[in-house]
Amino acid sequence: AAALAADAVVPSIGIAHVPMALAPGESTEWQDIQRRLGNMAPAKEPAPHERRTNWDPDGDEAAAEARRLAAVARVVVDNLDELEEEDDDGVLREIRERRVAQLKAQAARERFGALLDIGEPDYTREVTECTDAHVVVLLYKNGVHGCDTLRALLQRVAARFKATKFVAIRSDAAIRNFPDASLPTLLVYKDGDIVTQIVTLAPLGGDDVRESDVEWALAAAGAVTGSRLDENPRTARHKRDA
């Protein structure tokens, strides 16, 4: 068959094959490497009734491809010492170098991952002087309605969108005489300038606000990238409840 079973063992290496879904006639990059090294028989053409077009088991072709490449790369890196002796044409070396470069670039981008509490002395350094990432600032005050709710949601969003800096600061420490009626407020900074303001929970759905609502608003503002939401979550909920 063109694709190995999930529990198959790659010939001559002795390691479990990485489980992943493949369409008939498709093969993984790992299997392509093994065929080039002579460790696997050539792939067979699928029967006409097995052929598929635009086959995408996850409904997200780009994400599925990224997961496939990541899985292959992990196997290659974990078994590099055993494979290098057979790597006559440098294929595995090229994959390793490409993967290392990808990981370094990703680590450089995704270096935040948490909601950071700051004070007035930190604002310039952490917010207005940050020019290599979007900065989302939560203005809050203890005891003001909605502040704890939005803070908890932001902590979860920040953990998923690590290329964006998330900070929280008391409103009276950031802006003198900032009105409590405008809390909580989100300020989105890019290159030292405010590009978006979200004042109170009202634009996010009020007291019914959810993590996906915050993600949607920040993605619309360009503050986070890689969101998989393709519809306003509140609109989707209204459709389900109708």
Side-chain angles (χ1 to χ4, degrees):
L4 294 178
D7 57 352
V9 174
V10 178
S12 81
I13 303 300
I15 56 175
H17 178 64
V18 179
M20 58 186 73
L22 293 172
E26 290 187 348
S27 62
T28 66
E29 186 173 354
W30 174 256
Q31 291 167 330
D32 293 339
I33 294 169
Q34 289 300 306
R35 290 191 177 98
R36 186 178 300 186
L37 295 175
N39 295 330
M40 291 183 65
K44 296 180 181 179
E45 288 293 326
H49 70 278
E50 294 180 316
R51 295 192 180 109
R52 299 183 187 180
T53 58
N54 298 324
W55 191 81
D56 183 14
D58 300 307
D60 186 337
E61 186 175 346
E65 176 68 6
R67 286 192 294 271
R68 186 182 76 84
L69 292 176
V72 172
R74 283 195 299 272
V75 173
V76 172
V77 172
D78 291 344
N79 297 273
L80 191 60
D81 290 340
E82 297 178 48
L83 294 168
E84 279 185 335
E85 294 181 1
E86 303 181 51
D87 187 23
D88 296 332
D89 53 2
V91 175
L92 298 177
R93 188 184 314 109
E94 180 182 346
I95 292 176
R96 180 183 63 173
E97 291 173 353
R98 184 168 67 246
R99 179 58 176 162
V100 169
Q102 291 173 342
L103 291 174
K104 287 182 177 179
Q106 181 178 351
R109 293 191 307 270
E110 299 183 351
R111 63 189 189 279
F112 302 113
L115 180 63
L116 174 68
D117 283 291
I118 64 173
E120 182 181 3
D122 309 313
Y123 202 91
T124 298
R125 180 183 72 253
E126 298 291 348
V127 179
T128 58
E129 290 183 352
C130 181
T131 59
D132 59 349
H134 279 85
V135 184
V136 177
V137 180
L138 169 64
L139 301 181
Y140 74 96
K141 183 179 286 187
N142 293 331
V144 174
H145 179 75
C147 289
D148 288 345
T149 297
L150 188 52
R151 181 185 183 90
L153 296 175
L154 274 183
Q155 287 173 331
R156 297 204 290 267
V157 173
R160 293 191 296 114
F161 295 96
K162 299 178 182 180
T164 300
K165 179 185 285 189
F166 289 82
V167 302
I169 184 171
R170 290 194 336 270
S171 57
D172 53 356
I175 303 172
R176 186 169 300 176
N177 299 321
F178 192 87
D180 290 356
S182 296
L183 295 176
T185 285
L186 290 180
L187 304 176
V188 178
Y189 279 80
K190 178 60 176 173
D191 295 328
D193 296 321
I194 297 176
V195 295
T196 301
Q197 301 181 59
I198 302 173
V199 181
T200 77
L201 295 181
L204 301 172
D207 291 340
D208 191 40
V209 60
R210 305 180 187 183
E211 180 181 347
S212 58
D213 299 322
V214 178
E215 176 184 338
W216 177 263
L218 294 178
V224 298
T225 57
S227 173
R228 300 184 67 176
L229 296 174
D230 55 10
E231 183 181 22
N232 188 318
R234 283 182 289 156
T235 301
R237 291 197 295 270
H238 291 156
K239 289 180 180 178
R240 289 196 301 267
D241 296 340

